[in-house]
Amino acid sequence: KRWALAIHGGAGVIEREKLSPEKEAQYRAGLSAALSRGQAVLDKGGTAVDAVEATLRVLEDNPLFNAGKGAVFTADGVNELDAAIMDGATQKAGAVAGVTRTKNPVSLARAVMEKSPHVLLARDGADRFSVEKGLEQVDPQYFFTQPRWDQLQAWRAKNLAAVDQTHLFG
Amino acid sequence: TVGAAALDQDGHLAAATSTGGTTGKRWGRVGDSPIIGAGTYAKDGACAVSATGTGEYFIRESAARQVCDRVLWKGQTIAEAAQDTIMAVGAIGGDGGLIAMDAAGEVAFGLNDLGMYRGTVSAETPIRTAIF
């Protein structure tokens, strides 16, 4: 029987010259690992909802990608995670915004879809719902990665300089 | 941002998206990823979509839902719908990409930026990945 899976790991200014062969191989390995997980679900007759959740959990656990561990930092230096899931068979959907302690936000989105009458929960309430539904919790420090922190420092330098011209040159 | 679209053996579609947002986001900013119809959408018989990019523009264009509407109402192929939607996002200043899948499991990518990490696998085809 036919089944299919497609994924993305983010888009943007990805320049060939700046992506080393080693880094490219890491990204492709990460994508392949996620596809393999989804493939295993679908090949055994699992549902599309199970497949997209399982696939995204792999990408969320991979620090290369901007989701879960490896997420970018807000201006305040914290990680706030968003996720959504939708079941085409039922038109049910679930989403979370600004969550900080759920290891796999896509699973929290699915919990909103299946275990609440709501579609979108945000921030403190979503974090609380996650605890109440027994999803795996982590210290927010879990999401920290040095490259993302360095990106925030570069962002701060650029944007603070724009606001405060006195310190434009250090 | 990461996302997935899938067709299962019973012919059902699903989509999901997960993200940390953008570096330096403030004021409780929320992009398109958790907005059903903007960054994520699925409807059996039509399509499943996950998007990534400058979220505000994907919200304004109802990008994910737009792909499905183009398939259902305009009779476009999934490739045409994905491409025209990403062009519509670009026309108002947005950039990024999306993955889309139709009711038969046909996959399309729409992109108006330099690259998007992406991949596919199906019952008939092995795992394939691409970046540029």
Side-chain angles (χ1 to χ4, degrees), chain A residues 1-16 19 24 27-28 31-32 35-36 39 42-49 51-53 55-56 59-60 65-68 71-76 80-89 91 93-97 105-106 119-120 123 148 151-152 155 159, chain B residues 1-26 28-31 33-37 40-44 50-53 96-101 104-107 109 111 113-132:
Chain A
K1 282 190 174 180
R2 174 126 178 96
W3 57 263
L5 175 67
I7 65 170
H8 69 80
V13 184
I14 306 166
E15 298 177 58
R16 270 182 207 276
L19 187 66
E24 179 175 339
Y27 273 107
R28 287 184 184 273
L31 293 169
S32 294
L35 287 164
S36 293
Q39 178 182 31
L42 292 167
D43 203 35
K44 292 177 182 169
T47 68
V49 171
V52 294
E53 181 193 10
T55 301
L56 288 206
L59 294 170
E60 287 177 339
F65 299 98
N66 177 21
V72 300
F73 286 89
T74 68
D76 292 334
E80 295 182 355
L81 310 167
D82 306 334
I85 191 166
M86 187 163 184
D87 182 351
Q91 294 284 276
V96 291
V106 68
V119 172
L120 172 59
R123 306 179 75 80
R148 297 302 192 195
Q151 286 178 2
L152 177 64
W155 179 90
N159 286 273
Chain B
T1 305
V2 301
L7 172 75
D8 64 31
Q9 294 187 27
D10 292 326
H12 298 308
L13 291 165
T17 311
S18 182
T19 189
T22 57
T23 298
K25 65 181 178 182
R26 292 180 286 187
R29 180 260 187 191
V30 176
S33 293
I35 307 298
I36 301 301
T40 308
Y41 195 76
K43 183 178 178 65
D44 274 13
S50 174
T52 176
L98 57 83
I99 57 168
M101 179 177 291
E106 197 67 33
V107 173
F109 298 97
L111 175 68
D113 220 325
L114 290 182
M116 177 166 67
Y117 300 105
R118 59 198 191 274
T120 61
V121 65
S122 76
E124 297 89 23
T125 59
I127 287 174
R128 291 184 292 191
T129 61
I131 300 175
F132 302 104

Side-chain angles (χ1 to χ4, degrees), chain A residues 117-139:
Chain A
H118 310 299
V119 172
L120 172 59
L121 298 181
R123 306 179 75 80
D124 294 356
D127 281 338
R128 184 171 158 186
F129 176 81
S130 178
V131 172
E132 290 181 2
K133 296 305 174 188
L135 278 85
E136 184 176 356
Q137 305 294 300
V138 291
D139 186 287

Side-chain angles (χ1 to χ4, degrees), chain B residues 28-112:
Chain B
R29 180 260 187 191
V30 176
D32 64 311
S33 293
I35 307 298
I36 301 301
T40 308
Y41 195 76
K43 183 178 178 65
D44 274 13
C47 75
V49 179
S50 174
T52 176
T54 43
E56 282 73 4
Y57 299 94
F58 286 77
I59 294 171
R60 288 183 224 170
E61 277 294 321
S62 302
R65 174 66 189 256
Q66 183 180 144
V67 174
C68 295
D69 289 348
R70 286 177 177 277
V71 171
L72 275 180
W73 297 351
K74 203 174 182 183
Q76 290 188 313
T77 66
I78 195 69
E80 292 169 343
Q83 180 64 22
D84 287 356
T85 298
I86 205 68
M87 293 304 287
V89 169
I92 60 169
D95 50 23
L98 57 83
I99 57 168
M101 179 177 291
D102 70 11
E106 197 67 33
V107 173
F109 298 97
L111 175 68
N112 72 351

